[in-house]
Amino acid sequence: MGPGNTNTTMAVRSRGEAQDYSAFDAVYQQYGREVWSLVFARWLNAEVANDICQETFLRLWQQWQRGEKIRNPRAWLLRVARNLAEDYGKSAFHRNGTQEPEYLARVPGSQPAPPEQLQTCEALQLVRRFLQELSPTDREILTLRYALEYSIEEIAETLGINVSAVHMRLTRARQRLAARLANIGEFFA
């Protein structure tokens, strides 16, 4: 057979080889997507998933060529793919090391950056201090509204006062707290 007369999948030299290719193709069609998905889920990178999937099926082919029987091809393929994906992670670290600090600085974290965490902590300490300096009545109404998230009606019922009195007390307590906070200037800007 010349180079132009090859099968679209592979050149077949014998009837036994054709059966091998057919069986291999059937296993690939049945499990290829699952193997690829397993690797993709691990690395979230289609190119890496393609490479590892290809290597997994190459190893299956090599096992078959050596005459080794695999009783559960699905389990074997998934185990090999997991192992290769894990090996990729280990080798990628050794090949590439860590990323440049400039690159990592652009990666958003789930937590605020340390300077923002410190500023928030200091701001909360100041608010607590200013709350302690307020009258017990002001602290009580602010705590009910903002810490315990009571509605205006719930505050009125709890304190035994009418709704308009709650609005008035909240407004005055907020104004007194705001006046104390304004004294610290740009800290909250």
PDB file of all heavy atoms in Angstrom, residues 9-21:
ATOM      1  N   THR A   9      -7.886   6.712   9.557  1.00  0.00           N
ATOM      2  CA  THR A   9      -7.431   6.603  10.936  1.00  0.00           C
ATOM      3  C   THR A   9      -5.972   6.183  10.988  1.00  0.00           C
ATOM      4  O   THR A   9      -5.139   6.880  11.518  1.00  0.00           O
ATOM      5  CB  THR A   9      -8.271   5.565  11.711  1.00  0.00           C
ATOM      6  OG1 THR A   9      -9.611   5.574  11.251  1.00  0.00           O
ATOM      7  CG2 THR A   9      -8.242   5.849  13.175  1.00  0.00           C
ATOM      8  N   MET A  10      -5.673   5.020  10.428  1.00  0.00           N
ATOM      9  CA  MET A  10      -4.304   4.503  10.414  1.00  0.00           C
ATOM     10  C   MET A  10      -4.167   3.502   9.265  1.00  0.00           C
ATOM     11  O   MET A  10      -5.154   2.944   8.803  1.00  0.00           O
ATOM     12  CB  MET A  10      -3.978   3.774  11.724  1.00  0.00           C
ATOM     13  CG  MET A  10      -4.020   4.611  12.942  1.00  0.00           C
ATOM     14  SD  MET A  10      -3.643   3.530  14.347  1.00  0.00           S
ATOM     15  CE  MET A  10      -3.906   4.666  15.648  1.00  0.00           C
ATOM     16  N   ALA A  11      -2.955   3.261   8.856  1.00  0.00           N
ATOM     17  CA  ALA A  11      -2.724   2.242   7.828  1.00  0.00           C
ATOM     18  C   ALA A  11      -2.853   0.884   8.492  1.00  0.00           C
ATOM     19  O   ALA A  11      -2.265   0.630   9.533  1.00  0.00           O
ATOM     20  CB  ALA A  11      -1.343   2.416   7.227  1.00  0.00           C
ATOM     21  N   VAL A  12      -3.632   0.007   7.889  1.00  0.00           N
ATOM     22  CA  VAL A  12      -3.861  -1.321   8.449  1.00  0.00           C
ATOM     23  C   VAL A  12      -3.083  -2.326   7.615  1.00  0.00           C
ATOM     24  O   VAL A  12      -3.212  -2.353   6.392  1.00  0.00           O
ATOM     25  CB  VAL A  12      -5.373  -1.642   8.446  1.00  0.00           C
ATOM     26  CG1 VAL A  12      -5.611  -3.048   8.973  1.00  0.00           C
ATOM     27  CG2 VAL A  12      -6.126  -0.625   9.257  1.00  0.00           C
ATOM     28  N   ARG A  13      -2.271  -3.145   8.268  1.00  0.00           N
ATOM     29  CA  ARG A  13      -1.429  -4.093   7.538  1.00  0.00           C
ATOM     30  C   ARG A  13      -1.995  -5.502   7.543  1.00  0.00           C
ATOM     31  O   ARG A  13      -1.662  -6.293   6.686  1.00  0.00           O
ATOM     32  CB  ARG A  13      -0.037  -4.104   8.155  1.00  0.00           C
ATOM     33  CG  ARG A  13       0.648  -2.774   7.983  1.00  0.00           C
ATOM     34  CD  ARG A  13       2.083  -2.846   8.453  1.00  0.00           C
ATOM     35  NE  ARG A  13       2.544  -1.469   8.579  1.00  0.00           N
ATOM     36  CZ  ARG A  13       3.256  -1.012   9.580  1.00  0.00           C
ATOM     37  NH1 ARG A  13       3.618  -1.793  10.554  1.00  0.00           N
ATOM     38  NH2 ARG A  13       3.621   0.237   9.616  1.00  0.00           N
ATOM     39  N   SER A  14      -2.810  -5.835   8.537  1.00  0.00           N
ATOM     40  CA  SER A  14      -3.345  -7.198   8.580  1.00  0.00           C
ATOM     41  C   SER A  14      -4.747  -7.185   9.166  1.00  0.00           C
ATOM     42  O   SER A  14      -5.171  -6.188   9.743  1.00  0.00           O
ATOM     43  CB  SER A  14      -2.439  -8.085   9.442  1.00  0.00           C
ATOM     44  OG  SER A  14      -2.568  -7.706  10.801  1.00  0.00           O
ATOM     45  N   ARG A  15      -5.415  -8.313   8.996  1.00  0.00           N
ATOM     46  CA  ARG A  15      -6.778  -8.416   9.524  1.00  0.00           C
ATOM     47  C   ARG A  15      -6.773  -8.306  11.049  1.00  0.00           C
ATOM     48  O   ARG A  15      -7.636  -7.679  11.639  1.00  0.00           O
ATOM     49  CB  ARG A  15      -7.377  -9.736   9.066  1.00  0.00           C
ATOM     50  CG  ARG A  15      -8.770  -9.906   9.514  1.00  0.00           C
ATOM     51  CD  ARG A  15      -9.363 -11.202   8.979  1.00  0.00           C
ATOM     52  NE  ARG A  15     -10.750 -10.939   8.720  1.00  0.00           N
ATOM     53  CZ  ARG A  15     -11.370 -11.127   7.600  1.00  0.00           C
ATOM     54  NH1 ARG A  15     -10.732 -11.623   6.575  1.00  0.00           N
ATOM     55  NH2 ARG A  15     -12.639 -10.850   7.463  1.00  0.00           N
ATOM     56  N   GLY A  16      -5.788  -8.861  11.734  1.00  0.00           N
ATOM     57  CA  GLY A  16      -5.661  -8.784  13.200  1.00  0.00           C
ATOM     58  C   GLY A  16      -5.465  -7.355  13.666  1.00  0.00           C
ATOM     59  O   GLY A  16      -6.030  -6.923  14.666  1.00  0.00           O
ATOM     60  N   GLU A  17      -4.648  -6.627  12.916  1.00  0.00           N
ATOM     61  CA  GLU A  17      -4.432  -5.215  13.259  1.00  0.00           C
ATOM     62  C   GLU A  17      -5.712  -4.423  13.112  1.00  0.00           C
ATOM     63  O   GLU A  17      -6.005  -3.541  13.910  1.00  0.00           O
ATOM     64  CB  GLU A  17      -3.344  -4.607  12.365  1.00  0.00           C
ATOM     65  CG  GLU A  17      -2.043  -4.380  13.072  1.00  0.00           C
ATOM     66  CD  GLU A  17      -1.044  -3.709  12.156  1.00  0.00           C
ATOM     67  OE1 GLU A  17      -1.115  -2.482  12.010  1.00  0.00           O
ATOM     68  OE2 GLU A  17      -0.204  -4.433  11.603  1.00  0.00           O
ATOM     69  N   ALA A  18      -6.492  -4.720  12.101  1.00  0.00           N
ATOM     70  CA  ALA A  18      -7.760  -4.020  11.879  1.00  0.00           C
ATOM     71  C   ALA A  18      -8.685  -4.240  13.065  1.00  0.00           C
ATOM     72  O   ALA A  18      -9.365  -3.327  13.514  1.00  0.00           O
ATOM     73  CB  ALA A  18      -8.415  -4.501  10.593  1.00  0.00           C
ATOM     74  N   GLN A  19      -8.704  -5.457  13.586  1.00  0.00           N
ATOM     75  CA  GLN A  19      -9.529  -5.737  14.761  1.00  0.00           C
ATOM     76  C   GLN A  19      -9.014  -4.969  15.976  1.00  0.00           C
ATOM     77  O   GLN A  19      -9.793  -4.463  16.770  1.00  0.00           O
ATOM     78  CB  GLN A  19      -9.568  -7.232  15.033  1.00  0.00           C
ATOM     79  CG  GLN A  19     -10.360  -7.995  13.995  1.00  0.00           C
ATOM     80  CD  GLN A  19     -10.246  -9.490  14.155  1.00  0.00           C
ATOM     81  OE1 GLN A  19      -9.328 -10.002  14.791  1.00  0.00           O
ATOM     82  NE2 GLN A  19     -11.193 -10.204  13.552  1.00  0.00           N
ATOM     83  N   ASP A  20      -7.670  -4.902  16.138  1.00  0.00           N
ATOM     84  CA  ASP A  20      -7.089  -4.141  17.240  1.00  0.00           C
ATOM     85  C   ASP A  20      -7.494  -2.675  17.153  1.00  0.00           C
ATOM     86  O   ASP A  20      -7.889  -2.072  18.143  1.00  0.00           O
ATOM     87  CB  ASP A  20      -5.552  -4.237  17.217  1.00  0.00           C
ATOM     88  CG  ASP A  20      -5.042  -5.604  17.657  1.00  0.00           C
ATOM     89  OD1 ASP A  20      -5.843  -6.402  18.188  1.00  0.00           O
ATOM     90  OD2 ASP A  20      -3.842  -5.853  17.467  1.00  0.00           O
ATOM     91  N   TYR A  21      -7.375  -2.107  15.962  1.00  0.00           N
ATOM     92  CA  TYR A  21      -7.731  -0.698  15.777  1.00  0.00           C
ATOM     93  C   TYR A  21      -9.216  -0.468  16.070  1.00  0.00           C
ATOM     94  O   TYR A  21      -9.602   0.503  16.681  1.00  0.00           O
ATOM     95  CB  TYR A  21      -7.404  -0.217  14.366  1.00  0.00           C
ATOM     96  CG  TYR A  21      -5.933  -0.075  14.078  1.00  0.00           C
ATOM     97  CD1 TYR A  21      -5.394  -0.547  12.896  1.00  0.00           C
ATOM     98  CD2 TYR A  21      -5.084   0.543  14.991  1.00  0.00           C
ATOM     99  CE1 TYR A  21      -4.044  -0.425  12.618  1.00  0.00           C
ATOM    100  CE2 TYR A  21      -3.730   0.664  14.721  1.00  0.00           C
ATOM    101  CZ  TYR A  21      -3.212   0.186  13.545  1.00  0.00           C
ATOM    102  OH  TYR A  21      -1.889   0.315  13.276  1.00  0.00           O
TER     103      TYR A  21
END
